[in-house]
Amino acid sequence: MAIKDKQEIENIINTLEARSVNLYHACQLKDFRSYIQLGGIPSRNKLLNSSLDFTAFDTDKIDKENQVWDKVFGNFSDFGREFTKEKSKSQPNPYGPIQIVFKPNALRSASDLSITLRSAGARNFDRDKECLKNSQEVEMMFQYPNPNQAPTTNQKKNIAFASELNSRFGRDNCFSPEFNCSTKDELLSFDDAIYIVVDACLYKGKHLSTEVER
């Protein structure tokens, strides 16, 4: 079941904060403009009902079927990080070139929280059955379940590889942990945003970062 107990949600947030973990949400420029008007990261349902512009995803239909259409999503890893490295063969972030980075404190507004080991947009996804149960299981999704064993402070927040996650949790479909949550207004406020990362690409002949800054 998605976690609704406020104390357990607090325990998870404390775990993330102790590891200096950030939350990530990437989007396209048209979505970013709508986010600005709404004041935070919205659910797909809120975006649709707001009549603001947004990018249609192939997974929109599946999100409705999986009953996560009204949830707010985010990740624990920077999907675009490897792409920025010299001679990297990695792809850009598939969700968009604009990435908003949040503090875990943003999750304190959640009335329920589901942390899963694969995307909620996957076929046959079950939000309640696939949700990690408590902060102890959340610790297991990191490369070093015991943060004190991490060689460096930065490595405390590294997510384990899919093969290791499958081994630890006895599964065969783990990929990349993400979270989805319910909030009162289907929004994670920008109050807890730390910074924005913009890919080095052009918009109308200028750096996209110039338009984002504007």
Side-chain angles (χ1 to χ4, degrees), residues 199-209:
D199 287 353
C201 53
L202 299 179
Y203 170 74
K204 294 184 177 181
K206 296 182 179 180
H207 290 296
L208 176 60
S209 58

PDB file of all heavy atoms in Angstrom, residues 199-209:
ATOM      1  N   ASP A 199      19.654  21.811 -20.190  1.00  0.00           N
ATOM      2  CA  ASP A 199      20.571  21.223 -21.164  1.00  0.00           C
ATOM      3  C   ASP A 199      21.098  22.288 -22.121  1.00  0.00           C
ATOM      4  O   ASP A 199      20.423  23.289 -22.394  1.00  0.00           O
ATOM      5  CB  ASP A 199      19.871  20.135 -21.978  1.00  0.00           C
ATOM      6  CG  ASP A 199      19.634  18.868 -21.161  1.00  0.00           C
ATOM      7  OD1 ASP A 199      20.126  18.793 -20.016  1.00  0.00           O
ATOM      8  OD2 ASP A 199      18.964  17.953 -21.678  1.00  0.00           O
ATOM      9  N   ALA A 200      22.289  22.048 -22.645  1.00  0.00           N
ATOM     10  CA  ALA A 200      22.923  22.988 -23.582  1.00  0.00           C
ATOM     11  C   ALA A 200      22.321  22.808 -24.973  1.00  0.00           C
ATOM     12  O   ALA A 200      22.885  22.152 -25.844  1.00  0.00           O
ATOM     13  CB  ALA A 200      24.425  22.767 -23.611  1.00  0.00           C
ATOM     14  N   CYS A 201      21.133  23.367 -25.178  1.00  0.00           N
ATOM     15  CA  CYS A 201      20.481  23.303 -26.479  1.00  0.00           C
ATOM     16  C   CYS A 201      19.902  24.683 -26.800  1.00  0.00           C
ATOM     17  O   CYS A 201      19.871  25.567 -25.943  1.00  0.00           O
ATOM     18  CB  CYS A 201      19.404  22.229 -26.513  1.00  0.00           C
ATOM     19  SG  CYS A 201      18.177  22.331 -25.206  1.00  0.00           S
ATOM     20  N   LEU A 202      19.460  24.846 -28.031  1.00  0.00           N
ATOM     21  CA  LEU A 202      19.008  26.154 -28.504  1.00  0.00           C
ATOM     22  C   LEU A 202      17.490  26.248 -28.580  1.00  0.00           C
ATOM     23  O   LEU A 202      16.801  25.259 -28.842  1.00  0.00           O
ATOM     24  CB  LEU A 202      19.598  26.457 -29.881  1.00  0.00           C
ATOM     25  CG  LEU A 202      21.117  26.525 -29.980  1.00  0.00           C
ATOM     26  CD1 LEU A 202      21.534  26.819 -31.419  1.00  0.00           C
ATOM     27  CD2 LEU A 202      21.681  27.578 -29.028  1.00  0.00           C
ATOM     28  N   TYR A 203      16.998  27.455 -28.344  1.00  0.00           N
ATOM     29  CA  TYR A 203      15.582  27.772 -28.509  1.00  0.00           C
ATOM     30  C   TYR A 203      15.496  29.094 -29.253  1.00  0.00           C
ATOM     31  O   TYR A 203      15.972  30.120 -28.762  1.00  0.00           O
ATOM     32  CB  TYR A 203      14.893  27.873 -27.135  1.00  0.00           C
ATOM     33  CG  TYR A 203      13.483  28.425 -27.199  1.00  0.00           C
ATOM     34  CD1 TYR A 203      12.438  27.648 -27.680  1.00  0.00           C
ATOM     35  CD2 TYR A 203      13.207  29.731 -26.792  1.00  0.00           C
ATOM     36  CE1 TYR A 203      11.144  28.151 -27.755  1.00  0.00           C
ATOM     37  CE2 TYR A 203      11.917  30.244 -26.854  1.00  0.00           C
ATOM     38  CZ  TYR A 203      10.902  29.447 -27.344  1.00  0.00           C
ATOM     39  OH  TYR A 203       9.616  29.949 -27.418  1.00  0.00           O
ATOM     40  N   LYS A 204      14.951  29.048 -30.470  1.00  0.00           N
ATOM     41  CA  LYS A 204      14.848  30.250 -31.326  1.00  0.00           C
ATOM     42  C   LYS A 204      16.199  30.935 -31.497  1.00  0.00           C
ATOM     43  O   LYS A 204      16.322  32.163 -31.424  1.00  0.00           O
ATOM     44  CB  LYS A 204      13.816  31.224 -30.758  1.00  0.00           C
ATOM     45  CG  LYS A 204      12.385  30.689 -30.793  1.00  0.00           C
ATOM     46  CD  LYS A 204      11.390  31.734 -30.321  1.00  0.00           C
ATOM     47  CE  LYS A 204       9.961  31.198 -30.446  1.00  0.00           C
ATOM     48  NZ  LYS A 204       8.955  32.207 -30.008  1.00  0.00           N
ATOM     49  N   GLY A 205      17.231  30.104 -31.699  1.00  0.00           N
ATOM     50  CA  GLY A 205      18.559  30.635 -31.981  1.00  0.00           C
ATOM     51  C   GLY A 205      19.359  31.080 -30.780  1.00  0.00           C
ATOM     52  O   GLY A 205      20.497  31.527 -30.929  1.00  0.00           O
ATOM     53  N   LYS A 206      18.798  30.955 -29.587  1.00  0.00           N
ATOM     54  CA  LYS A 206      19.508  31.343 -28.368  1.00  0.00           C
ATOM     55  C   LYS A 206      19.573  30.145 -27.422  1.00  0.00           C
ATOM     56  O   LYS A 206      18.822  29.186 -27.558  1.00  0.00           O
ATOM     57  CB  LYS A 206      18.793  32.511 -27.677  1.00  0.00           C
ATOM     58  CG  LYS A 206      18.758  33.796 -28.499  1.00  0.00           C
ATOM     59  CD  LYS A 206      18.073  34.907 -27.719  1.00  0.00           C
ATOM     60  CE  LYS A 206      18.035  36.205 -28.511  1.00  0.00           C
ATOM     61  NZ  LYS A 206      17.368  37.295 -27.749  1.00  0.00           N
ATOM     62  N   HIS A 207      20.459  30.229 -26.440  1.00  0.00           N
ATOM     63  CA  HIS A 207      20.560  29.151 -25.454  1.00  0.00           C
ATOM     64  C   HIS A 207      19.229  29.013 -24.712  1.00  0.00           C
ATOM     65  O   HIS A 207      18.639  30.020 -24.297  1.00  0.00           O
ATOM     66  CB  HIS A 207      21.682  29.420 -24.457  1.00  0.00           C
ATOM     67  CG  HIS A 207      23.051  29.313 -25.054  1.00  0.00           C
ATOM     68  ND1 HIS A 207      23.556  28.140 -25.557  1.00  0.00           N
ATOM     69  CD2 HIS A 207      24.020  30.252 -25.246  1.00  0.00           C
ATOM     70  CE1 HIS A 207      24.773  28.335 -26.018  1.00  0.00           C
ATOM     71  NE2 HIS A 207      25.080  29.620 -25.846  1.00  0.00           N
ATOM     72  N   LEU A 208      18.771  27.785 -24.565  1.00  0.00           N
ATOM     73  CA  LEU A 208      17.516  27.538 -23.859  1.00  0.00           C
ATOM     74  C   LEU A 208      17.559  28.127 -22.449  1.00  0.00           C
ATOM     75  O   LEU A 208      16.539  28.615 -21.934  1.00  0.00           O
ATOM     76  CB  LEU A 208      17.230  26.039 -23.794  1.00  0.00           C
ATOM     77  CG  LEU A 208      15.989  25.607 -23.001  1.00  0.00           C
ATOM     78  CD1 LEU A 208      14.721  26.215 -23.602  1.00  0.00           C
ATOM     79  CD2 LEU A 208      15.883  24.085 -22.969  1.00  0.00           C
ATOM     80  N   SER A 209      18.731  28.105 -21.826  1.00  0.00           N
ATOM     81  CA  SER A 209      18.851  28.627 -20.462  1.00  0.00           C
ATOM     82  C   SER A 209      18.460  30.104 -20.385  1.00  0.00           C
ATOM     83  O   SER A 209      17.951  30.553 -19.358  1.00  0.00           O
ATOM     84  CB  SER A 209      20.283  28.429 -19.950  1.00  0.00           C
ATOM     85  OG  SER A 209      21.215  29.080 -20.801  1.00  0.00           O
TER      86      SER A 209
END
